[in-house]
Amino acid sequence: MSTATITPSSVDGPAVAHPPREREVPAPIPFGRILGVELRKMFDTRSGFWLMASIVIASAIATVLTVILGDRDALTFDSFAASVGSPMSILLPIIGVLAVTSEWSQRTALTTFTLVPSRRRVIGAKLVNVLVIGAVSMLIALGVGAIGNLASAAMTGNDAVWDIPAWTFAQIVLANELGMLLGFALGLLLRSSPAAIVGYFVVNLVLPGISEALASTQEWWADNAAWFDVNATRFLLFDSKLTSEEWLQLGVTSSIWILLPLAVGLALVMRSEVK
């Protein structure tokens, strides 16, 4: 916006209108800086730090328990991957939830959206950080499992068995990323940490049981549940190679349970009054 100023040329002379002065438009905050700030916010609090640290701690505990309690002669890399995958499927979605809801639970949303008025850029930065943390966490967890596999082989004197092909590893990472996205979408939709966490466990633990009960009594549901139940095909990513139809079913259910809540939640955040 520009304004024109009028100043007198002399004490008694006529007023002279000066040309308007253009205000310099500040450059937008670089997206990389927003990424860095949002990432640091996920680690800055005590709860955030220990939640991230719990990824390594849980992986180490699961690996040690597998070595101690498992049949060492029969242990393979797949055994350790399965043991560390269970806690990851719980911890990573919670990280996805808290990445969004912490702004409202800690009452920092007003400050965040005042400093960065473009809410889409803030949400986008949070989403990128969540996906990166998910991939890195799985690499760390499977790395700890690999160390356990080597340690188990050294104890028994057997050769270490690496029985997880690249496609299985990629599918495991994708399955956990989808879990994080589901948590992120619910967090964006509900903007409450307890509600979103409970909602995730309902979708992940309660709905599969309801779906199985329906499949046992309703033939139509038994034949078509994979088109509506996101867990029916997502769980297959952990231990089997999906067919083209199963990939299509995964895409349809992910659109229903992840993309739709994500879009609705983003629309609500864009229009809601932040207090």
Side-chain angles (χ1 to χ4, degrees), residues 22 41 71 84 121 132-135 141 144-145 152 156 165 169 176 198 200 215 229-230 232:
E22 295 289 339
K41 285 162 64 175
D71 183 0
V84 301
R121 301 183 75 204
V132 171
I133 287 175
V144 173
S152 175
T156 59
F169 174 75
N176 283 283
V198 170
Y200 172 78
D229 183 359
V230 66

Side-chain angles (χ1 to χ4, degrees), residues 144-157:
V144 173
I147 295 174
N149 193 30
L150 292 173
S152 175
M155 292 177 185
T156 59

Side-chain angles (χ1 to χ4, degrees), residues 72-128:
R72 295 180 185 176
D73 291 326
L75 290 179
T76 65
F77 188 36
D78 183 66
S79 306
F80 291 97
S83 65
V84 301
S86 297
M88 292 303 101
S89 64
I90 298 174
L91 292 173
L92 293 180
I94 294 177
I95 293 174
V97 168
L98 297 181
V100 183
T101 58
S102 60
E103 294 285 3
W104 280 266
S105 62
Q106 298 174 12
R107 300 184 181 275
T108 58
L110 181 60
T111 303
T112 297
F113 294 137
T114 299
L115 295 174
V116 185
S118 177
R119 299 184 184 183
R120 282 193 178 90
R121 301 183 75 204
V122 175
I123 299 301
K126 292 179 181 293
L127 180 58
V128 171

Side-chain angles (χ1 to χ4, degrees), residues 128-273:
V128 171
N129 283 330
V130 163
L131 293 176
V132 171
I133 287 175
V136 172
S137 299
M138 286 306 303
L139 290 174
I140 293 174
L142 291 177
V144 173
I147 295 174
N149 193 30
L150 292 173
S152 175
M155 292 177 185
T156 59
N158 300 325
D159 293 332
V161 178
W162 308 97
D163 53 350
I164 296 184
W167 63 265
T168 301
F169 174 75
Q171 286 190 177
I172 292 174
V173 174
L174 176 60
N176 283 283
E177 292 281 30
L178 289 175
M180 291 193 77
L181 285 174
L182 178 58
F184 188 90
L186 291 175
L188 196 63
L189 181 65
L190 301 175
R191 297 188 298 283
S192 168
S193 300
I197 292 174
V198 170
Y200 172 78
F201 285 113
V202 168
V203 173
N204 203 47
L205 300 178
V206 178
L207 289 187
I210 296 175
S211 179
E212 291 179 3
L214 284 173
S216 64
T217 58
Q218 301 292 328
E219 184 178 352
W220 181 89
W221 184 259
D223 295 334
N224 298 279
W227 294 99
F228 302 97
D229 183 359
V230 66
N231 297 303
T233 48
R234 188 171 76 88
F235 290 166
L236 294 178
L237 291 170
F238 288 103
D239 54 15
S240 63
K241 195 170 187 177
L242 272 63
T243 64
S244 57
E245 182 181 12
E246 288 171 338
W247 280 113
L248 183 59
Q249 291 170 343
L250 181 63
V252 171
T253 54
S254 298
S255 299
I256 296 172
W257 291 96
I258 297 176
L259 294 183
L260 183 58
L262 190 64
V264 174
L266 181 59
L268 292 175
V269 168
M270 294 300 298
R271 296 184 180 184
S272 64
E273 180 183 358

